[in-house]
Structure formats: structure tokens, C-alpha cells
Amino acid sequence: MSRGHCILSHGFESGPDAIKVTALAEVAERLGWTHERPDYTDLDAQREVSSLGDVRARLQRLVTLATARAAQGPVVLAGSSLGSYISAIASLQVPVQGLFLMVPPTRMGPMPALDAARVPTSVVHAWHDELIPPAEVIAWAQARSARLLMVDDGHRLTDHVEASSRAFEELLASL
């Protein structure tokens, strides 16, 4: 029997087979969680909506998936960059057991500022993130007493996929 279900959301201009969400899927499976990696590439391509595609539709797709899964049992939302933003915002609308946010944007244009349900939350962010100021993420994590792992890397966390996987494993094991 599954411990619950993880929905792993890729970043902008990435895909469901991206390295980071694939690594998280492997962790979830090893720990007895089912998982899925929604594909948002069609929405990311909608540049006529915004420079980041159709963020509202991306969020709605996740809320719809998470709502269906939450009716069946515990859900954890995880994501990278734009995927972490929609995971956090979706947690305000769907009951979740935990959140795992990699390089989360604290602001998203006309969308609401980053907010999330008060559930166990782990954040991985990069000291040298060229898109999202580390100080903003640190302040956000501190305000909610989230676990925070700061790494010597850039926005893509290229050199810290394994460290991110370990942090995700710690979160899942604590639930």
C-alpha cells in the first residue's frame, strides 16, 4: 500500500522528464509513495499570455490533479522554479501533507506573491540564483519556519540534484 502520492511539477521551459523531477520521482518510489509528473510544456509555450506562458492554467491543472489525488489519500506537492510556485499556491486550495520547493519564485508578475499552506515545507535554494534573489527566499522560509537548504549553485541547481533528492527524502520520511 502506498504511503501517499507526490505530484512533481517541472520548471518553466523544462518537462516532466527533467533531471530534478525525475530524481524526486525515484526517491518517492523508493520510499513507497506513488508519483506523477504533469506535463506543462503546452502551457509554457503560450507566450501570447505572458513571457512565462499561461501560469494561471498551469496552476489550475495542478489544482485539478491534486484535488483528485487528495480525495484518495495523502498528497505531497513538489516542484522546481515555476513548478514550485504553483505547488505552493495550489496548497492553499487543496489539502496537502507537505511541500518541497526548489528555487521558488517569491513573486510572479501579476500573480499573487508566494504563499503556501502551513504544512511541513522544505526549500532548496541557490546562493547564486540569477533569477530569484536568495534573500527573498530565505526571508520567506524563515517566516514559516520551513526547512531551508542553501547551496553553492545557480538557478538550475545543476550541481545539487543529489542534495535536493536527499532533502526531499528527509521531508517524505518525516511525514
Side-chain angles (χ1 to χ4, degrees), residues 101-163:
L101 311 175
M102 295 179 286
V103 294
T106 56
R107 291 173 273 125
M108 185 60 59
M111 297 289 290
L114 186 65
D115 196 6
R118 297 287 177 165
V119 296
T121 302
S122 289
V123 179
V124 177
H125 200 69
W127 284 114
H128 309 289
D129 191 314
E130 59 279 10
L131 301 176
I132 303 160
E136 292 179 11
V137 175
I138 292 167
W140 187 87
Q142 181 180 18
R144 53 198 331 102
S145 301
R147 295 178 190 189
L148 175 63
L149 173 62
M150 293 297 300
V151 297
D152 183 12
D153 210 335
H155 184 71
R156 292 190 170 275
L157 296 174
T158 308
D159 296 332
H160 289 86
V161 173
E162 183 60 37

Side-chain angles (χ1 to χ4, degrees), residues 7 12 23 28 30 34 38 56 58 71 77 90-91 103 106 115-116 122-123 133 148 150 160 172 174:
I7 302 176
F12 178 66
R30 186 167 25 83
T34 58
R56 286 183 188 358
R58 204 184 219 263
L77 299 180
S91 76
V103 294
T106 56
D115 196 6
S122 289
V123 179
L148 175 63
M150 293 297 300
H160 289 86
L172 291 182
S174 74

Side-chain angles (χ1 to χ4, degrees), residues 16-33:
D17 295 325
I19 292 171
K20 290 188 296 274
V21 292
T22 298
L24 298 185
E26 291 169 0
V27 168
E29 193 165 311
R30 186 167 25 83
L31 295 180
W33 292 73

Side-chain angles (χ1 to χ4, degrees), residues 34-57:
T34 58
H35 56 83
E36 65 186 301
R37 295 176 273 171
D39 188 348
Y40 305 105
T41 54
D42 60 320
L43 300 173
D44 291 353
Q46 293 183 13
R47 296 297 177 83
E48 68 280 2
V49 177
S50 83
S51 62
L52 296 174
D54 195 338
V55 178
R56 286 183 188 358

Side-chain angles (χ1 to χ4, degrees), residues 53-113:
D54 195 338
V55 178
R56 286 183 188 358
R58 204 184 219 263
L59 173 60
Q60 189 53 53
R61 184 174 292 171
L62 177 57
V63 167
T64 299
L65 288 170
T67 299
R69 288 300 188 161
Q72 300 170 3
V75 170
V76 170
L77 299 180
S80 178
S81 193
L82 181 53
S84 66
Y85 174 83
I86 64 167
S87 295
I89 299 297
S91 76
L92 297 169
Q93 301 175 47
V94 179
V96 300
Q97 298 300 305
L99 287 169
F100 186 74
L101 311 175
M102 295 179 286
V103 294
T106 56
R107 291 173 273 125
M108 185 60 59
M111 297 289 290

